[in-house]
Structure formats: structure tokens, C-alpha cells
Amino acid sequence: MLLVKKNISNILKILLILGFGYFFWLMLKITLEYIPFKTEVSFLMIKQTEVGQRAEYLYFFYTHVYTSIFVLLSGFSAILRKDFGFKNFHKNAGKIYIFLILLFAAPSGIYMGIFANGGILSKISFLILGCLWWFSTFKAYQFARHKKFKEHKQWMWRSFALTISAITLRMWKVIIVYLFHPNPMDVYQIIAWLGWVPNLLLIEYLIAKKHI
């Protein structure tokens, strides 16, 4: 019985790695579209007003895009931990993850949220997301420094739930557009919240049930 449980656990871990690898590759392909610096591709095609009128917008945009891909990778590497045979990577990966979010990815994301598509509802959502992302990561950092590793782990999970909103947002977009064909601006308003709220609620549930 124990052997069966162990085999199931190993299979789930492999599926988790493969699943993340697939979505990470999709995110990497999106990131590569902006290398070298391009202002008329993908998302930037609908942000030409900001590109033309705000010289700083592109700096924040590229900072967010280029650092977020490493945030995803380092965050998942930290989660792998010793259970996946990557024990020695956990601490260093966590440091990279926290450093990139606090100094680059979250602040640039908050700035971009001010100019989010979809009107005031989308802007509020992305601003809350950016602030919670920074705050949860900072709390994880604080607890790690004070060697309160249970609390550190919980806040890191909250942070990572917000990190993968970059993935879940796009998943919801595909589902909603395929099923309902709504107005593009309506889509932005919906996925702006669906991208991160369910993620965070799930993590809070798991924490409450002591699964994390």
C-alpha cells in the first residue's frame, strides 16, 4: 500500500513538472517576442498610446516582462525542494525569487496596472494584485529572516499563487473567449480578477486545512 502511494506521489510530481514546463514554455515564447526591444508586437500593439506618450512606460514594461519569466522559474525551483531532489537549490532559488519580485517585477507591475486595459475595474484589480504580490513576498522574506519557516512557507505559497496569475489569467482568457465570445474590454475586466483571486482563495483554503 505504501509503495502504491509512493508511486502515485511520484507520478503526480512528474505531471506537475511537465505541466509547469509546458506553461513556462508558453510564457517564454511570449517573452521572446519582445527580444530585441520591439514596440509593435503582441501586447504592445494595443498600448501604443502609452508607448508614444509616456517615455517611462517601456522601461517598466520590459522590466516586468524580462524579470517575471525568471520569477516563475526560480519560484517553481524553490517549490521543488528536497522532495524533488533539488534540496540545495531551494534557498538560492528563493533568494532570486524574492529579490526579483520586491525590486523589479512587482513595482513595475503596479505601475503597469495604472494603465491596464478594461477600465477602472481592471486597473483596481491589477493594482491590488501588484501590491499583494509585493506584500506577500516581503512577509515571506521577513519570516525567513526570523527563521519562522512555517509562516515563511505559507506566505511564499501566497506569493507564488499570485505569481502564476500570469498563467491562469491567460488560461481563463482562452476559456471565456472560446465559450462566450465577449467584447474584448469585457474580457479584460473579467480575467483581471479571475487571474489571481481563485488562486489566492485556493491557497487560503489549503492553509486553513493545514495542507500547507
Side-chain angles (χ1 to χ4, degrees):
M1 190 66 177
L2 289 175
L3 181 60
V4 172
K5 289 183 177 179
K6 184 176 180 180
N7 288 335
I8 292 175
S9 177
N10 288 334
I11 291 173
L12 291 175
K13 291 173 184 177
I14 292 172
L15 290 175
L16 177 63
I17 293 173
L18 291 176
F20 177 81
Y22 172 73
F23 287 110
F24 178 79
W25 169 244
L26 293 180
M27 294 302 298
L28 181 60
K29 286 176 64 178
I30 293 173
T31 303
L32 292 175
E33 292 179 359
Y34 301 104
I35 300 175
F37 299 112
K38 297 178 181 179
T39 60
E40 295 183 354
V41 295
S42 193
F43 176 75
L44 287 179
M45 287 291 291
I46 57 174
K47 304 301 292 184
Q48 291 302 301
T49 299
E50 287 79 6
V51 171
Q53 296 180 2
R54 298 183 176 276
E56 78 281 1
Y57 184 85
L58 283 177
Y59 292 103
F60 283 99
F61 174 80
Y62 289 127
T63 296
H64 186 72
V65 169
Y66 293 158
T67 58
S68 291
I69 195 69
F70 292 103
V71 167
L72 273 171
L73 183 59
S74 58
F76 190 71
S77 298
I79 289 173
L80 292 181
R81 303 183 55 134
K82 61 183 179 182
D83 295 333
F84 292 81
F86 292 99
K87 182 179 179 180
N88 294 333
F89 292 159
H90 174 70
K91 187 174 182 179
N92 290 332
K95 286 181 178 179
I96 294 171
Y97 175 85
I98 289 172
F99 172 78
L100 289 177
I101 290 177
L102 294 183
L103 295 186
F104 299 105
S108 59
I110 292 170
Y111 172 86
M112 290 175 61
I114 299 172
F115 306 100
N117 296 326
I120 188 64
L121 290 178
S122 295
K123 296 178 191 296
I124 292 173
S125 176
F126 284 115
L127 287 173
I128 293 174
L129 168 60
C131 291
L132 288 178
W133 194 25
W134 191 95
F135 178 76
S136 59
T137 307
F138 181 71
K139 292 294 290 185
Y141 166 73
Q142 280 188 317
F143 281 120
R145 288 203 63 184
H146 291 91
K147 301 189 184 302
K148 295 182 178 180
F149 295 115
K150 178 182 178 180
E151 292 85 354
H152 164 74
K153 181 180 178 181
Q154 291 174 345
W155 280 99
M156 281 292 276
W157 271 109
R158 292 182 176 108
S159 173
F160 194 69
L162 298 173
T163 294
I164 62 172
S165 66
I167 294 174
T168 52
L169 180 149
R170 288 168 173 83
M171 291 174 60
W172 280 114
K173 180 180 179 181
V174 171
I175 293 171
I176 291 172
V177 170
Y178 178 78
L179 293 178
F180 304 107
H181 310 289
N183 180 283
M185 288 300 106
D186 293 336
V187 174
Y188 272 104
Q189 291 181 348
I190 297 169
I191 64 174
W193 296 93
L194 279 180
W196 63 273
V197 173
N199 297 3
L200 202 54
L201 289 176
L202 175 60
I203 291 300
E204 292 300 333
Y205 172 80
L206 294 175
I207 290 174
K209 294 296 182 180
K210 302 186 185 302
H211 296 310
I212 292 179

